[in-house]
């Protein structure tokens, strides 16, 4: 038995060809790097998705009373698209773990990325389009709403009152934008005294914190705000559009990076299967050298 063992050559490791590093190490390290980058970008997409949802909730529930004063549909459509983008980004972020382990899920993952990029492209278009025209629209729509729709439309009245309380302003450009009632002198000998007691300014213009009914009966500067609300509404819409545009642009850049890493990982996984299909056979044959 000992003599037989002398003639049996010990098993030696598989020789590596010079100038060619091991294929498995090279491809697996590259694929693993793509997966790690994809995982990191997906976590950032979850954060962006939460930002989308938080921004949409803020604009709709906390600042939604101002929406009736904005005539363009691009603004409300942008809020709805922000909700969709937020939900899709969160789903994509949590789907990355399954996409790494399954090629079919990875293809679905890439398709969701493309669909999300299309939606975000529409959101950028809406925000950019309305950003170019919102100043002219507000300059026309806000005075018209205060003069013609305040007493006839409950939503407009609620929006105007919210704007004047929140911005601490009165009227569109100034407090005297509100129409003052006319009193004829030959019917009322004390017309000036009567005109001071006729309330033509809404109670939301009052400087007092409680703003009780009839508090705006006097239009003195100590009682009501004199500055108009149009500059505040312009700044409000400008900031909201900028927030939506910035978050959408950041999300679109992350989607492009994620799509690049996902395609790289998908192609590398195909190379792992197709390149050198006889590697296992070659390694087994080296055992008998």
């Amino acid at each position: 038995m000992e003599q037989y063992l002398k003639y049996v050559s010990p098993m030696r490791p598989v020789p590596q060809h010079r100038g060619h590093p091991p294929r498995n190490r090279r491809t697996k390290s590259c694929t693993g790097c793509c997966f790690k980058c994809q995982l990191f970008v997906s976590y950032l997409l979850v954060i962006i998705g939460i930002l989308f949802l938080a921004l949409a909730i803020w604009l709709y529930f906390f600042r939604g009373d101002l929406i009736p004063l904005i005539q363009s549909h691009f603004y409300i459509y942008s809020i709805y698209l922000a909700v969709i983008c937020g939900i899709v980004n969160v789903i994509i972020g949590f789907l990355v773990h399954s996409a790494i382990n399954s090629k079919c899920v990875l293809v679905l993952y890439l398709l969701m990325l493309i669909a999300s990029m299309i939606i975000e492209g529409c959101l950028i278009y809406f925000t950019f389009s309305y950003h170019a025209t919102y100043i002219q629209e507000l300059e026309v729509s806000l005075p018209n709403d205060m003069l013609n729709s305040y007493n006839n439309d409950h939503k407009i009245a609620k929006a105007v009152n919210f704007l004047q309380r929140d911005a601490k302003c009165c009227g569109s450009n100034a407090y005297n934008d509100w129409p003052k009632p006319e009193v004829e002198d030959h019917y009322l000998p004390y017309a000036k005294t009567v005109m001071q007691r006729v309330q033509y300014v809404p109670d939301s213009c009052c400087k007092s914190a409680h703003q009780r009914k009839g508090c705006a009966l006097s239009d003195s500067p100590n009682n009501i705000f004199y500055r108009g609300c149009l500059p505040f509404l312009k700044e409000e819409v400008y900031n909201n559009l900028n927030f939506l545009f910035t978050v959408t642009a950041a999300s679109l850049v992350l989607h492009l990076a994620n799509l690049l890493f996902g395609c790289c990982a998908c192609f590398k996984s195909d190379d792992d299967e197709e390149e050198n299909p006889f590697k296992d056979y070659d390694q087994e044959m080296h055992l008998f050298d």
Side-chain angles (χ1 to χ4, degrees), residues 41 45 52 81 84-86 88-89 92 109-125 248-261 263:
V41 174
L45 283 179
F52 266 124
L81 287 178
I84 297 174
C85 291
V88 173
N89 282 348
I92 289 175
Y109 180 85
L110 296 178
L111 293 177
M112 290 186 65
L113 279 177
I114 296 174
S116 180
M117 290 171 63
I118 295 175
I119 297 174
E120 290 177 355
C122 296
L123 180 55
I124 288 179
Y125 171 75
T248 307
S251 178
L252 193 59
V253 171
L254 291 178
H255 277 314
L256 290 173
N258 210 356
L259 185 64
L260 178 63
F261 292 134
C263 292

Side-chain angles (χ1 to χ4, degrees), residues 13 15 39 52 91 131 137 140 143 147 157 170 175 192 208 223 227 230 255 265 278 283 287:
L39 190 64
F52 266 124
I91 294 175
H131 198 281
E137 291 183 5
V140 175
L147 294 177
C170 186
Y175 78 100
K192 295 182 179 180
S208 60
N223 188 40
R227 63 176 178 272
L230 185 58
H255 277 314
F278 300 103
Q283 292 179 356
L287 296 177

Side-chain angles (χ1 to χ4, degrees), residues 97-107:
H97 295 282
S98 300
I100 291 176
N101 299 323
S102 175
K103 185 178 179 181
C104 296
V105 181
L106 180 61
V107 174

